[in-house]
Amino acid sequence: MSAPLRPRPAAPHGPAAPSGGASTGASLVFPRILTVGVLGAGRVGAVLGAALAAAGHRVVAASGVSGAAKARIALLLPETANRSATSVAQAATDLLIVAVPDDALAGVVAGLAETGALRPGQVVAHTSGAHGLDVLAPAAAVGARPLALHPAMTFTGTPDDLTRLAGISYGVTAPAELRAFAARLVADLGGVPEWVGEADRPLYHAALAHGANHLVTLVNEASDRLRDAGVAQPEKVLAPLLRAALENALRLGDDALTGPVSRGDAGTVRRHLARLAATAPESVPPYLALARRTADRAIAAGRLRPADAESLLDVLGGIYREVAA
């Protein structure tokens, strides 16, 4: 085990190094076993804290106010003290994980900096996908090291999440001198770093939210419509179909497209929309939006000839105008 070495005094942070590029600054040296605090024992924070503890790091403090957060600390971090946010930040001499909602992040970081809870050389890492290093400017101003570390995974806040961490990607934005530390931290969590530039964080996060969050909505919409059609257990119908569709899409891209839109079956789509309008009119706008985008992608990929798409696009355009009116 390497001897505990403190990081050098902080310098003002710059932009993240180019994705996939080499670091342009000297790497900092940190102790092999980190002293860690978790600010925000939500689904993400508590699980990452437990994963770091399992990797051998000392998770000495966590903050949790709600009953659910207290229960997560007791379940996932039973040896960790539940303290106030200020106490957690002060105890986390090497690494402070800030796992709070996106819109609360700036205020939390600013508050910690103003109260003197942060210290030079301490790494302050948030888990927001949408934010990069800019939101950590108050921490950097008092000498802390800023790090954006977002796990590309959905969390339940239970021990089951720990088994899902192996091999997942982390969207990382870091100053050049902190990239080696960030890579090591992600490795300790069992993951793989994806280096994301500061300006690209919103696009990175939009892509993940569009894929994962909207997938949940889409699956539940499909389940509801199957129930409307008299199917008692829609999950049994959807599970094999959706698993195959997802696997094919990840493997084949747009070549995985099937169904009436990719074939240009305007009559089928017209009947879909008529029955949806009568049964669940709230489902018509999302169906139209996805059908139109599917048609665009099918045409661009050569799956649907423009001539065969004309009738389909007329149907989609006509219904869209009716809905908009």
Side-chain angles (χ1 to χ4, degrees):
M1 180 183 302
S2 59
L5 298 175
R6 308 309 307 167
R8 295 198 302 271
H13 78 271
S19 177
S23 297
T24 57
S27 295
L28 300 172
V29 179
F30 288 84
R32 179 63 192 93
I33 297 176
L34 302 171
T35 299
V36 182
V38 178
L39 185 53
R43 296 182 180 186
V44 177
V47 170
L48 292 187
L52 288 170
H57 299 295
R58 296 176 61 246
V59 183
V60 295
S63 66
V65 177
S66 70
K70 291 177 180 178
R72 289 189 198 99
I73 292 173
L75 178 64
L76 293 166
L77 297 165
E79 306 299 322
T80 300
N82 186 349
R83 298 184 181 180
S84 68
T86 298
S87 295
V88 171
Q90 292 171 336
T93 53
D94 296 317
L95 173 63
L96 176 64
I97 300 288
V98 185
V100 299
D102 289 353
D103 288 348
L105 182 56
V108 168
V109 174
L112 292 174
E114 289 170 3
T115 58
L118 305 177
R119 67 184 67 197
Q122 174 188 36
V123 176
V124 178
H126 72 69
T127 60
S128 168
H131 290 289
L133 301 183
D134 284 350
V135 74
L136 297 174
V142 298
R145 299 282 181 180
L147 176 63
L149 185 77
H150 175 254
M153 175 53 64
T154 183
F155 288 81
T156 62
T158 67
D160 290 342
D161 291 337
L162 294 171
T163 65
R164 301 188 183 104
L165 292 182
I168 73 166
S169 295
Y170 287 76
V172 183
T173 305
E177 69 274 10
L178 209 60
R179 281 169 64 90
F181 172 84
R184 169 197 145 188
L185 191 62
V186 170
D188 285 348
L189 290 166
V192 179
E194 291 291 339
W195 305 102
V196 182
E198 180 77 17
D200 292 326
R201 295 292 293 197
L203 183 59
Y204 157 82
H205 193 239
L208 296 183
H210 191 32
N213 302 155
H214 297 170
L215 176 63
V216 174
T217 301
L218 185 60
V219 171
N220 287 325
E221 280 275 303
S223 296
D224 289 346
R225 300 296 74 81
L226 283 173
R227 292 187 188 95
D228 291 341
V231 177
Q233 294 180 296
E235 65 277 4
K236 289 190 175 181
V237 177
L238 290 173
L241 174 66
L242 298 186
R243 288 193 183 105
L246 177 59
E247 290 171 1
N248 288 341
L250 293 174
R251 183 168 54 91
L252 301 173
D254 285 324
D255 283 344
L257 281 173
T258 63
V261 171
S262 68
R263 294 190 297 266
D265 290 342
T268 298
V269 171
R270 183 183 291 108
R271 287 188 289 275
H272 287 178
L273 289 164
R275 187 57 190 271
L276 283 172
T279 305
E282 69 277 10
S283 288
V284 172
Y287 182 104
L288 277 171
L290 287 170
R292 182 55 197 253
R293 186 63 184 131
T294 299
D296 291 342
R297 295 192 69 97
I299 293 169
R303 303 282 296 175
L304 176 62
R305 295 187 307 170
D308 296 333
E310 289 182 6
S311 296
L312 172 68
L313 296 178
D314 285 344
V315 169
L316 295 176
I319 298 295
Y320 177 80
R321 286 189 291 273
E322 290 177 18
V323 170

